[in-house]
C-alpha cells in the first residue's frame, strides 16, 4: 500500500455511510462496492488531505494506480480528483497507464471523466498523440475505448476537429452498444451548441441509431 494514502483512506473510512453506499451501489447497477460518501463531502476530504499532505508529485502514477486497485468506487473517484488536479504534469509518456484506466473497472462514471478532461487535455496539448491513440481507439473492439475516442472532444467547442469527429461517429454509427450510441448523441448535441447548422446537416445526411439521433437533436425544436 502507498503509505502516502493512508491518511486519506482513514478519512474516507471515518465518513463512510452504509445507507449512501447501498444507494450508490444500486444506482451503479451493482457494478461496484462503495464506502458511501457524497461527492461534495468526498471532494472536501480530498482537498483537506492535500492541504495537510501535499500533492504526490512524481508519484502520481503510483498513487492513482493504488486507488484504482481498491474495490470501493469512492477510491476511483479520488484517483480522478488527483488526475484533474495534476493533469498539467502529464505528458505523452503517461498515455499507456492512463489508457489502462479506461479499460480497467470501466463504467461511464470514470470513462466520462478520463476522456474529455484528461485525454482531451493531452490531445489538445500534444496533438501528435491523436493518431497514435484516439484513431486506434475508435477501431478497437473495446467499446469503452470507442466511447473515449468519441468523447475526447466533448469540451472543445469551436476548436473541435469536425472532420475527425464526424469520421468517428460514422465509423461507429451502426454500433448496437448503448454506451456508444449515447456518446455519439451526446458529443453531437454539445457540438451543436456552436455549430448547429453543421450538426443538423450531418444528422440529416447520415444514418444514425434512433438513440444517437434523438440525443443529438434534443435541443432543437
Amino acid at each position: 500500500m502507498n503509505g502516502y494514502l493512508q491518511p486519506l483512506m482513514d478519512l474516507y473510512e471515518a465518513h463512510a455511510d452504509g445507507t449512501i453506499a447501498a444507494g450508490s451501489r444500486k444506482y451503479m447497477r451493482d457494478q461496484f462496492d462503495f464506502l458511501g460518501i457524497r461527492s461534495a463531502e468526498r471532494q472536501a476530504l480530498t482537498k483537506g488531505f492535500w492541504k495537510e499532505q501535499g500533492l504526490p508529485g512524481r508519484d502520481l502514477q503510483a498513487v492513482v494506480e493504488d486507488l484504482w486497485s481498491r474495490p470501493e468506487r469512492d477510491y476511483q473517484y479520488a484517483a480522478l480528483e488527483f488526475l484533474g488536479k495534476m493533469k498539467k504534469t502529464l505528458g505523452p509518456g503517461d498515455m499507456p497507464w492512463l489508457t489502462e484506466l479506461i479499460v480497467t473497472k470501466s463504467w461511464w462514471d470514470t470513462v466520462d471523466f478520463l476522456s474529455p478532461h484528461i485525454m482531451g487535455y493531452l490531445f489538445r496539448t500534444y496533438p501528435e498523440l491523436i493518431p497514435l491513440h484516439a484513431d486506434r481507439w475508435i477501431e478497437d473492439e473495446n467499446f469503452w475505448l470507442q466511447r473515449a475516442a468519441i468523447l475526447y472532444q466533448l469540451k472543445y467547442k469551436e476548436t473541435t476537429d469536425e472532420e475527425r469527429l464526424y469520421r468517428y461517429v460514422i465509423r461507429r454509427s451502426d454500433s448496437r452498444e448503448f454506451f456508444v450510441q449515447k456518446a455519439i448523441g451526446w458529443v453531437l448535441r454539445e457540438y451543436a451548441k456552436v455549430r448547429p447548422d453543421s450538426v443538423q446537416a450531418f444528422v440529416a445526411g447520415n444514418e444514425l441509431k434512433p438513440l444517437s439521433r434523438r440525443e443529438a437533436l434534443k435541443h432543437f425544436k
Side-chain angles (χ1 to χ4, degrees):
M1 180 182 67
N2 191 305
Y4 163 81
L5 287 172
Q6 187 60 58
L8 181 64
M9 295 175 63
D10 292 342
L11 277 173
Y12 277 22
E13 290 174 9
H15 289 79
D17 186 310
T19 301
I20 295 174
S24 297
R25 184 181 176 92
K26 182 178 180 181
Y27 177 68
M28 296 297 288
R29 301 183 184 179
D30 293 323
Q31 294 287 322
F32 310 100
D33 291 325
F34 284 83
L35 292 171
I37 309 172
R38 298 192 188 281
S39 296
E41 183 178 14
R42 187 194 68 250
Q43 291 165 5
L45 292 173
T46 306
K47 288 179 181 179
F49 168 80
W50 288 337
K51 186 175 181 180
E52 292 292 327
Q53 304 294 328
L55 294 169
R58 294 181 180 179
D59 293 330
L60 176 62
Q61 179 181 350
V63 166
V64 169
E65 289 179 341
D66 189 325
L67 291 166
W68 216 262
S69 71
R70 302 189 176 279
E72 295 86 5
R73 196 61 164 172
D74 315 72
Y75 291 122
Q76 280 90 71
Y77 296 155
L80 297 180
E81 290 181 51
F82 274 90
L83 287 171
K85 180 74 171 177
M86 300 183 66
K87 68 181 181 181
K88 291 185 179 180
T89 69
L90 298 170
D94 296 299
M95 285 301 300
W97 67 270
L98 291 172
T99 302
E100 189 65 21
L101 299 182
I102 294 176
V103 298
T104 306
K105 298 187 177 180
S106 308
W107 202 243
W108 62 264
D109 54 343
T110 52
V111 174
D112 290 4
F113 181 88
L114 289 167
S115 181
H117 296 287
I118 304 303
M119 302 309 185
Y121 165 77
L122 283 167
F123 291 157
R124 188 195 296 273
T125 308
Y126 306 99
E128 68 272 15
L129 295 176
I130 298 172
L132 298 176
H133 297 281
D135 283 359
R136 294 180 180 180
W137 294 349
I138 199 64
E139 299 296 337
D140 200 279
E141 293 182 358
N142 187 304
F143 68 80
W144 292 114
L145 285 175
Q146 297 170 20
R147 184 175 172 101
I150 293 165
L151 292 181
Y152 87 83
Q153 296 196 82
L154 188 67
K155 306 294 183 181
Y156 279 19
K157 298 181 180 180
E158 294 89 349
T159 62
T160 296
D161 180 343
E162 182 176 281
E163 184 278 329
R164 180 171 265 109
L165 173 65
Y166 289 164
R167 173 157 47 89
Y168 284 7
V169 168
I170 291 171
R171 176 65 183 86
R172 291 299 171 183
S173 61
D174 62 347
S175 174
R176 297 182 179 181
E177 174 53 54
F178 169 84
F179 288 108
V180 174
Q181 293 180 22
K182 191 80 170 180
I184 288 172
W186 186 15
V187 76
L188 291 176
R189 185 172 72 247
E190 285 300 302
Y191 187 47
K193 294 178 181 178
V194 295
R195 294 291 308 281
D197 293 344
S198 175
V199 171
Q200 284 185 302
F202 175 79
V203 172
N206 291 276
E207 186 173 347
L208 302 178
K209 293 291 187 180
L211 174 60
S212 298
R213 183 178 298 274
R214 184 167 62 251
E215 289 292 317
L217 302 178
K218 183 176 288 186
H219 296 320
F220 291 104
K221 294 183 179 179

